[in-house]
């Protein structure tokens, strides 16, 4: 009898398929090259981009992630101890994209980008996970940004307002107070915790020193802000793959709350370090370098992260995720490659200037090139009414100040404008970790804009402001509460506030 080979082949194929459905069959490859946190693997023909991999080593399982899909091999980044992996070790594909744990169990904890606790506390047990990298919600799933996110910083809330769902860049040289603004914003959310306006905060530290991050965590603890904060730390000593996925991990943890209808604030400190980690991985995996050795898709690295910041439509629960990315510039060069990219992705930037910082103007916000593209939409009505001209006045003051330094004679109107500008600059100075309630900010700026500070000696302005706010917290409390409930000024309220300020100043002058 003649044997029909094709019949036998088909029977064997059927049997293999039957066994494959009965048994859980996973695809297995082998490491052909390993080094610098990068592995080349042969044999994973069905691997997906960003798929989670398990490296079987002598000391246990090490996780990795697919990064490059090539003709015969797969390039992977190691999310752990790559020194324990050897050439020839087996690699299993999991069929899952990289996920991180999420949920309220993470609040108050310091975790690494894979969600593992690194604060010495108990293990985190949560059933919720979120995919690390997702497609951002489309336009139909969003709504316009209208609700303010109060930072507690007078210069920002009055002139560069941030709305819930916005992406506002904090940019400047090192040691100009970028992290201080981010930390102040987190501390300011304590006043809303436990109310409908509560904001959950996520602070992602990328490429920072361990001591710096420990300092931030201690500051948040001492101000009672860790109750509603998750700190994700991919420090400078961590491998580049963890620094690369750190911001995405923080964003994914925030999205869990956003889709539950809550408001979330994500701070990425800083994305310059993430771009450097991504450049390192790309060059090691032989991706062709482009400008400044960054790969061509480095724009996509940040855009697919920041596009996930959104204010969801009411049909989707109305939650929001606000992003405050931080970028470090070199010698104030905002036109360098990475700063330019992130400026074009975000809805505005807060530029911190070294010259102002060293001159004692802190926060050192340059009102000339700082901007919020959401603008007055993200301000309460009263702030919009009194802070509308503040920005132009300060910009004009800077011009006049440069002119006045020439030593020329100035007419009375110009001198008055200079005095008013100097008083406003002094008024907008603010110590670190002392966020101010928005109603107090409005009263202070109202007093400055209406000339109540013009004849107060410059060095006494901080004391004048403190005493004035104490006055409105006691004697003038009823007026302050009226302003809070009304939310805006009318002629009657303006007259009453001016009368109260005259009354206070008369008493203060006599002290």
């Amino acid at each position: 009898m003649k044997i029909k080979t094709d019949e036998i082949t088909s029977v064997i194929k059927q049997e293999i398929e039957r066994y494959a459905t009965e048994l859980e069959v996973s695809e297995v490859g082998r490491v052909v090259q390993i080094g610098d946190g990068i592995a080349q693997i042969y044999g994973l023909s069905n691997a997906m981009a960003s798929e989670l991999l398990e490296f079987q080593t002598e000391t246990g399982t090490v996780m990795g992630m697919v990064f490059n899909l090539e003709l015969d091999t797969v390039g992977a980044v190691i999310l752990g101890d790559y020194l324990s992996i050897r050439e020839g070790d087996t690699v299993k594909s999991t069929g899952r994209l990289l996920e991180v744990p999420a949920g309220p169990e993470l609040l108050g904890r310091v975790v690494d980008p894979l969600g593992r606790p690194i604060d010495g506390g108990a293990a985190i047990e949560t059933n919720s996970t979120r995919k690390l990298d997702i497609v951002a919600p489309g336009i139909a799933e969003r709504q316009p940004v209208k609700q303010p996110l109060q930072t507690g910083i007078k210069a920002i809330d009055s002139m560069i307002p941030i709305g819930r769902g916005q992406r506002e860049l904090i940019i400047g040289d090192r040691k100009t107070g970028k992290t201080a603004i981010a930390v102040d914003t987190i501390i300011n959310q304590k006043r809303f915790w436990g109310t409908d306006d509560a904001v959950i905060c996520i602070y992602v530290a990328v490429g920072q020193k361990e001591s710096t991050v420990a300092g931030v965590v201690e500051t948040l603890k001492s101000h009672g802000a860790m109750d509603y904060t998750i700190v994700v730390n991919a420090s400078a000593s961590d491998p580049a793959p963890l620094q690369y996925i750190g911001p995405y991990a923080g964003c994914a943890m925030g999205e869990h709350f956003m889709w539950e209808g809550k408001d979330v604030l994500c701070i990425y400190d800083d994305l310059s370090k993430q771009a450097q980690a991504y450049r390192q991985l790309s060059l090691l995996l032989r991706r062709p370098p482009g400008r400044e050795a960054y790969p061509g898709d480095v724009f996509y690295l940040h855009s697919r992260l920041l596009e996930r910041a959104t204010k969801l439509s009411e049909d989707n629960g109305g939650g929001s995720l606000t992003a405050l990315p931080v970028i470090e510039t070199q010698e104030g060069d905002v036109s360098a490659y990475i700063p330019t990219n992130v400026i074009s992705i975000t809805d505005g930037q807060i530029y911190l200037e070294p010259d102002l910082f060293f001159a004692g103007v802190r926060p050192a916000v340059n009102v000339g090139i700082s901007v919020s593209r959401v603008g007055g939409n993200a301000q309460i009505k009263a702030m919009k009414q009194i802070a509308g001209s503040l920005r132009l006045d300060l910009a004009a003051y800077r011009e006049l100040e440069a002119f006045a330094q020439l030593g020329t004679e100035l007419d009375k109107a110009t001198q008055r404008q200079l005095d008013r500008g100097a008083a406003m600059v002094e008024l907008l100075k603010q110590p670190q970790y002392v966020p101010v309630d928005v109603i107090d900010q409005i009263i202070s700026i109202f007093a400055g804009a209406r000339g109540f500070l013009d004849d107060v000696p410059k060095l006494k302005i901080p004391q004048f402001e403190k005493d004035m706010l104490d006055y409105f917290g006691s004697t003038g409390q009823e007026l302050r509460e009226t302003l809070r409930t009304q939310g805006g000024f009318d002629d009657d309220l303006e007259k009453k506030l001016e009368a109260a300020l005259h009354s206070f100043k008369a008493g203060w002058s006599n002290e």
Side-chain angles (χ1 to χ4, degrees):
M1 190 175 82
K2 190 178 178 184
I3 295 170
K4 293 183 178 176
T5 51
D6 49 347
E7 279 183 13
I8 293 169
T9 309
S10 68
V11 168
I12 290 169
K13 272 186 181 175
Q14 285 171 7
E15 287 298 307
I16 290 169
E17 283 170 8
R18 188 167 65 82
Y19 275 110
T21 53
E22 289 174 6
L23 300 168
E24 191 182 334
V25 176
S26 61
E27 203 175 296
V28 176
R30 289 201 177 275
V31 177
V32 291
Q33 190 182 356
I34 178 77
D36 296 314
I38 297 296
Q40 290 289 347
I41 304 157
Y42 180 79
L44 299 179
S45 56
N46 292 323
M48 301 180 287
S50 298
E51 184 178 348
L52 200 57
L53 301 176
E54 291 179 355
F55 290 80
Q56 311 297 328
T57 72
E58 292 174 2
T59 54
T61 303
V62 177
M63 305 310 290
M65 183 178 73
V66 175
F67 201 73
N68 267 19
L69 297 173
E70 292 162 23
L71 200 60
D72 300 312
T73 59
V74 167
V77 296
I78 317 298
L79 303 170
D81 180 20
Y82 67 87
L83 295 172
S84 62
I85 299 171
R86 299 279 178 268
E87 288 179 14
D89 284 351
T90 57
V91 188
K92 279 172 65 179
S93 64
T94 60
R96 293 182 291 119
L97 296 177
L98 191 54
E99 293 177 329
V100 289
E105 294 82 3
L106 277 80
L107 291 175
R109 303 300 300 270
V110 183
V111 297
D112 72 0
L114 296 174
R116 300 174 298 202
I118 52 174
D119 53 6
I124 296 169
E125 293 180 15
T126 174
N127 297 323
S128 304
T129 58
R130 296 283 310 178
K131 283 197 170 45
L132 199 77
D133 212 348
I134 61 156
V135 176
I139 292 171
E141 295 174 273
R142 304 177 179 227
Q143 63 172 306
V145 173
K146 296 189 291 285
Q147 192 182 0
L149 181 104
Q150 306 292 355
T151 65
I153 299 168
K154 291 176 279 188
I156 293 173
D157 289 343
S158 59
M159 294 182 288
I160 317 149
I162 299 168
R164 298 191 182 193
Q166 192 177 343
R167 303 155 299 180
E168 184 81 8
L169 172 63
I170 302 171
I171 186 168
D173 286 10
R174 65 190 301 271
K175 297 289 179 193
T176 50
K178 301 187 298 298
T179 302
I181 283 181
V183 173
D184 275 1
T185 305
I186 294 175
I187 292 170
N188 190 52
Q189 305 316 311
K190 190 172 195 316
R191 70 177 82 248
F192 305 111
W193 187 239
T195 70
D196 292 341
D197 287 334
V199 177
I200 288 162
C201 302
I202 294 165
Y203 177 79
V204 184
V206 183
Q208 308 281 339
K209 289 187 294 188
E210 295 276 10
S211 57
T212 307
V213 180
V216 169
V217 172
E218 278 309 307
T219 302
L220 294 176
K221 277 183 182 168
S222 65
H223 289 85
M226 278 303 283
D227 297 343
Y228 51 87
T229 304
I230 302 169
V231 176
V232 181
N233 183 21
S235 69
S237 59
D238 284 330
L242 287 179
Q243 293 183 43
Y244 156 60
I245 67 166
Y248 296 107
C251 186
M253 291 169 190
E255 281 170 336
H256 172 87
F257 298 105
M258 178 183 79
W259 285 101
E260 287 183 344
K262 296 176 179 152
D263 293 312
V264 184
L265 169 68
C266 266
I267 291 157
Y268 310 113
D269 189 9
D270 66 76
L271 293 188
S272 310
K273 308 275 196 323
Q274 190 205 15
Q276 286 160 19
Y278 188 68
R279 173 170 64 183
Q280 181 182 324
L281 295 178
S282 296
L283 292 174
L284 287 167
L285 279 161
R286 304 270 182 228
R287 287 191 179 180
R291 184 170 157 192
E292 292 171 37
Y294 286 102
D297 65 337
V298 76
F299 178 91
Y300 181 59
L301 168 79
H302 291 147
S303 66
R304 74 182 200 266
L305 170 71
L306 296 171
E307 279 297 320
R308 288 158 73 173
T310 176
K311 172 71 174 166
L312 291 174
S313 64
E314 294 302 331
D315 293 343
N316 286 315
S320 72
L321 191 143
T322 310
L324 291 185
V326 178
I327 286 286
E328 185 184 295
T329 53
Q330 308 288 329
E331 295 291 324
D333 185 8
V334 292
S335 62
Y337 191 31
I338 299 300
T340 311
N341 277 350
V342 184
I343 283 171
S344 65
I345 295 164
T346 49
D347 307 312
Q349 67 276 344
I350 298 164
Y351 176 58
L352 302 178
E353 194 173 358
D355 291 349
L356 288 174
F357 185 84
F358 297 126
V361 179
R362 298 175 189 180
V365 178
N366 177 326
V367 294
I369 66 170
S370 297
V371 65
S372 170
R373 296 191 189 110
V374 172
N377 285 347
Q379 277 179 314
I380 66 170
K381 189 180 174 189
M383 183 65 93
K384 205 188 302 188
Q385 285 172 310
I386 58 133
S389 63
L390 179 60
R391 178 194 187 89
L392 289 173
D393 291 346
L394 279 178
Y397 163 70
R398 294 271 174 233
E399 296 283 327
L400 278 175
E401 189 185 32
F403 181 69
Q405 283 172 348
L406 299 173
T408 47
E409 286 281 322
L410 299 172
D411 61 274
K412 279 187 178 178
T414 308
Q415 189 59 52
R416 194 164 58 245
Q417 195 174 359
L418 264 173
D419 294 342
R420 175 78 52 88
M424 292 309 288
V425 167
E426 206 61 39
L427 187 70
L428 292 174
K429 288 182 185 177
Q430 197 169 333
Q432 209 171 336
Y433 314 138
V434 189
V436 181
D437 181 77
V438 66
I439 300 301
D440 290 341
Q441 292 183 36
I442 289 165
I443 292 169
S444 293
I445 293 167
F446 183 90
R450 295 298 162 94
F452 286 94
L453 303 175
D454 287 4
D455 55 350
V456 176
K458 201 170 157 186
L459 293 175
K460 290 195 172 180
I461 285 176
Q463 188 60 46
F464 179 90
E465 185 192 17
K466 182 182 180 301
D467 294 343
M468 177 180 70
L469 295 178
D470 287 345
Y471 170 81
F472 280 100
S474 52
T475 312
Q477 189 174 10
E478 190 181 333
L479 197 56
R480 185 175 180 273
E481 289 309 310
T482 305
L483 180 56
R484 190 185 292 280
T485 49
Q486 262 185 230
F489 286 104
D490 54 25
D491 290 344
D492 184 44
L493 186 58
E494 274 192 46
K495 284 174 188 167
K496 282 181 180 174
L497 189 57
E498 281 194 13
L501 284 165
H502 278 298
S503 167
F504 161 74
K505 193 172 178 186
W508 192 83
S509 303
N510 297 331
E511 288 176 5

